Amino acid sequence: MLSSADPTLSQRAQEFPEHLPRPAQAPTALKGIRVVDFTHFIAGPLATMILADMGADVMKIEPPERGDELRYYPPAVPGLEAQGGPFLWSNRNKRSVAIDLKTDAGIEVVRSLIACADVLVENFSTGVMARFGLDYEACRALNPKLIYCSVSAYGREGPFADRLGFDPVVQAESGFVSMNGYPDRMGVRASSAVMDISTAMMVSNAILGALFARERQGEGQFVEVGLFDTGLLMTGWATMQHLVSGKEPERNGNTSPDTCPSGVFQASDKPFYINCGNDKIFQRLVGQVLERPDLASDTTLANRNGRIAQREFLFQELGAEFLKSPWSHWQARMRQAQIPCGEVRTVGEAMRSAEAESRRLVTHIAHPVLGRIPNIASPIRYARTPMVDPTPAPGIGQHTQEVLHEALGWSADKVEEMARSGAFGTRVSAPSTDFLPCDA
């Protein structure tokens, strides 16, 4: 029966199909891998979510009273305590363990978890894990096969190790902002947290590589991924273009400095994007789609450099043609001619598009409080080891007792003893697999 706690989110969830369960007997890629997750905000949690989607048991270590600060990023989800949209997006398939790391008992708990884990991931400020006595060497002594992944801003050593790192700052410092926007004004940041997201992908890749190396060589290792390091990579081949030419990349708005025509055009009813990445695509565009033999036979426009030099003229000609018919007309013709193109959509339109529907990228899943919530699927598709069925992001400390019973084999008396010692703060949930509220 649906809860009435948040009818708006439940109604929105109903717009999308129900998630199709994976084959019951299919294995998962990371079955049996335990991850102790000390991360917060975006880059770390999104990385560990990727591992959780692959079947790893991700135990999210959170401060007992407030949890991960990302929980409070808007919009808050009505009916849920300390869970906003961004947190739901980046923390599915995890178990939350509320531990007070400022107590000796709390440290004892996490040391016990680390001793039986395969992977530890942390993105605290430099020096924090060492102050807790949980630096790599200390953890390696507990568990020599541990993969210890540290997500830093500017590296854990060197003159900038003390600096905090946030996505928009790295966008600015890496040169990414300078490349984006229009030439007549200051560069702009990407609204999406592209540096955090790309760092998360680097982190999950680094951990998977380290696990593979351990399988072959029998040893764990220290792994580090830097936000700024990833940011420089995210400027793309502009780095090598600069080194080859000595020139700084210019802002080109929605056009491309490397291909032409590439940019936004307006049909009679809506805008769309075309990317003519080579000479053959251009010939198909002007010859088959637009039926402009004068453009197709123009020797100046026959190659990339000629078209770039004539960009203004070419955009005027194409723009006038495209305004004559609606997008549906041009879409059909360009699809037949194999022209890379697409409608300029809002986020909501993209989520509800035929393309997203055909790939089942947005579905709904059961939620213990709200009845159901939307879910954004992982883009990874495994044939033999499909991704796990999604479970909602956890409440603060929702699985504390469950994890200690299952992972450590602790008795109820032992857990109660640690609770009296202050290890879990005031949020101590009852052992359950049914998503009980945090204060149950």
Side-chain angles (χ1 to χ4, degrees):
M1 182 176 179
L2 282 180
S3 165
S4 60
D6 182 22
T8 301
L9 189 60
S10 296
Q11 289 171 357
R12 286 177 178 161
Q14 285 183 283
E15 293 182 43
F16 306 103
E18 185 176 2
H19 169 77
L20 292 178
R22 68 197 304 276
Q25 303 305 318
T28 61
L30 295 182
K31 179 178 175 59
I33 297 297
R34 282 179 174 164
V35 180
V36 180
D37 178 9
F38 289 96
T39 67
H40 49 285
F41 287 111
I42 302 174
L46 187 60
T48 56
M49 190 184 79
I50 294 171
L51 303 179
D53 287 347
M54 293 178 179
D57 180 9
V58 176
M59 298 170 285
K60 183 178 178 68
I61 310 299
E62 298 189 78
E65 306 307 325
R66 189 166 174 84
D68 183 344
E69 194 61 30
L70 188 65
R71 288 179 175 275
Y72 305 95
Y73 274 47
V77 178
L80 294 184
E81 180 186 7
Q83 291 197 50
F87 185 82
L88 288 179
W89 170 75
S90 57
N91 284 278
R92 67 169 171 250
N93 291 330
K94 300 179 185 180
R95 301 200 285 180
S96 174
V97 182
I99 304 291
D100 187 349
L101 296 178
K102 295 179 181 178
T103 66
D104 292 340
I107 294 298
E108 180 183 340
V109 173
V110 295
R111 283 172 63 86
S112 298
L113 290 173
I114 291 166
C116 67
D118 298 281
V119 178
L120 181 155
V121 192
E122 64 87 14
N123 65 342
F124 285 117
S125 299
T126 299
V128 171
M129 289 294 277
R131 289 200 296 273
F132 290 141
L134 299 174
D135 56 284
Y136 172 62
E137 290 302 329
C139 291
R140 182 169 178 264
L142 290 171
N143 184 351
K145 290 192 173 184
L146 183 71
I147 307 299
Y148 188 113
C149 183
S150 184
V151 186
S152 65
Y154 299 88
R156 289 302 186 202
E157 297 179 349
F160 306 109
D162 64 310
R163 291 190 60 191
L164 297 179
F166 284 86
D167 183 284
V169 174
V170 170
Q171 286 194 41
E173 288 197 328
S174 65
F176 188 85
V177 167
S178 76
M179 298 169 57
N180 295 290
Y182 290 88
D184 61 342
R185 66 201 77 170
M186 186 179 293
V188 297
R189 58 165 284 193
S191 179
S192 172
V194 292
M195 298 306 172
D196 281 330
I197 294 168
S198 55
T199 298
M201 291 188 283
M202 285 293 175
V203 169
S204 59
N205 269 282
I207 291 171
L208 292 174
L211 285 170
F212 186 78
R214 188 185 71 174
E215 187 72 16
R216 291 289 184 90
Q217 301 159 12
E219 296 182 18
Q221 62 180 301
F222 179 77
V223 178
E224 186 184 1
V225 178
L227 193 65
F228 179 77
D229 305 9
T230 305
L232 198 61
L233 177 67
M234 285 294 288
T235 61
W237 57 60
T239 50
M240 193 57 68
Q241 287 179 320
H242 167 72
L243 293 173
V244 170
S245 69
K247 299 178 181 178
E248 294 285 2
E250 297 179 353
R251 291 185 291 281
N252 292 274
N254 282 321
T255 65
S256 167
D258 308 309
T259 63
C260 186
S262 179
V264 175
F265 293 90
Q266 183 71 43
S268 62
D269 58 345
K270 63 180 62 178
F272 60 93
Y273 200 100
I274 290 178
N275 184 22
C276 283
N278 59 46
D279 299 340
K280 291 181 179 179
I281 294 175
F282 172 74
Q283 288 298 322
R284 294 199 299 271
L285 174 66
V286 294
Q288 298 177 38
V289 177
L290 296 178
E291 297 180 345
R292 287 286 301 269
D294 57 319
L295 298 178
S297 61
D298 189 319
T299 56
T300 302
L301 302 178
N303 65 76
R304 179 196 312 269
N305 292 335
R307 292 193 299 277
I308 290 174
Q310 295 294 317
R311 179 182 283 116
E312 185 175 348
F313 162 76
L314 192 53
F315 269 63
Q316 287 177 351
E317 292 294 311
L318 300 185
E321 294 290 343
F322 287 130
L323 280 171
K324 295 177 182 178
S325 299
W327 164 239
S328 58
H329 169 82
W330 298 118
Q331 182 187 37
R333 292 179 69 87
M334 286 192 285
R335 185 171 182 177
Q336 184 176 14
Q338 292 290 287
I339 308 298
C341 65
E343 178 183 350
V344 177
R345 295 170 173 153
T346 65
V347 171
E349 288 170 343
M351 294 172 66
R352 295 167 176 84
S353 66
E355 291 85 352
E357 182 180 359
S358 71
R359 297 288 287 172
R360 299 186 70 88
L361 295 180
V362 188
T363 60
H364 72 253
I365 60 175
H367 192 281
V369 177
L370 306 182
R372 59 172 65 93
I373 60 171
N375 181 69
I376 311 300
S378 168
I380 299 171
R381 307 289 173 98
Y382 286 132
R384 195 181 66 82
T385 58
M387 308 295 263
V388 303
D389 292 325
T391 59
I396 301 172
Q398 180 177 323
H399 304 97
T400 301
Q401 292 199 29
E402 178 183 306
V403 166
L404 300 184
H405 286 306
E406 291 182 9
L408 302 181
W410 284 7
S411 66
D413 289 343
K414 173 67 173 178
V415 174
E416 178 60 29
E417 176 190 341
M418 300 304 289
R420 287 195 299 269
S421 300
F424 314 126
T426 60
R427 292 178 182 265
V428 184
S429 62
S432 171
T433 58
D434 294 325
F435 304 105
L436 290 178
C438 298
D439 56 356

